[in-house]
Amino acid sequence: KVDRMRVFGLTVEPDVLTTYRQCRQRTTWMGTMGLESYTNAKTVWDEVENAEQRFKHLKVTKVDVTRCSIQSTANKIIRYLGDRFGDDDGSPATPASRYYPMNEKASEGFGKLEE
């Protein structure tokens, strides 16, 4: 059985997703496949709405990733996990304590983890 407190549904604003898809379709082999529905604004809106309804039905946490970097999204999810499960001693965790994704040496040049 899956612990729903550890499941996250990622969502994005439909207009932003449509723009990404249009760019991807123009710059890859996908442009030759005739996938008009892939970039159709109504279809994309329906896909996002369907996904969000599914997240609600499954009672999982929705995370909006519109205009967020992968690192920012990961940090947001790490914060959720830390708040929910804390450290092994029962105290609330922070990204820098329990879930820090890299050691100090590996993270040089990437900046500090968002607090």
Side-chain angles (χ1 to χ4, degrees):
K1 184 173 176 162
V2 175
D3 179 358
R4 288 191 171 122
M5 295 294 287
R6 297 179 189 271
V7 177
F8 296 87
L10 306 182
T11 189
V12 63
E13 291 177 15
D15 59 325
V16 173
L17 180 58
T18 300
T19 301
Y20 287 152
R21 286 182 175 188
Q22 289 168 344
C23 182
R24 188 178 304 130
Q25 193 171 39
R26 276 194 309 273
T27 60
T28 67
W29 56 270
M30 293 174 65
T32 63
M33 295 187 64
L35 300 172
E36 291 81 20
S37 66
Y38 180 72
T39 57
N40 177 280
K42 171 76 170 102
T43 302
V44 173
W45 189 91
D46 289 343
E47 288 176 20
V48 171
E49 182 66 22
N50 184 20
E52 290 183 1
Q53 289 299 317
R54 189 147 180 86
F55 302 153
K56 187 175 181 177
H57 173 75
L58 294 172
K59 298 178 182 164
V60 299
T61 302
K62 179 177 83 170
V63 178
D64 188 339
V65 300
T66 304
R67 295 176 187 84
C68 290
S69 67
I70 292 171
Q71 296 87 349
S72 176
T73 301
N75 288 337
K76 191 181 295 189
I77 292 171
I78 287 167
R79 252 187 250 110
Y80 277 123
L81 291 170
D83 290 346
R84 290 176 182 174
F85 300 104
D87 283 334
D88 293 334
D89 64 3
S91 62
T94 63
S97 62
R98 179 173 179 158
Y99 296 103
Y100 200 83
M102 302 181 215
N103 64 35
E104 288 295 323
K105 191 106 174 135
S107 65
E108 287 177 12
F110 291 102
K112 295 256 183 217
L113 190 63
E114 289 183 25
E115 293 297 326

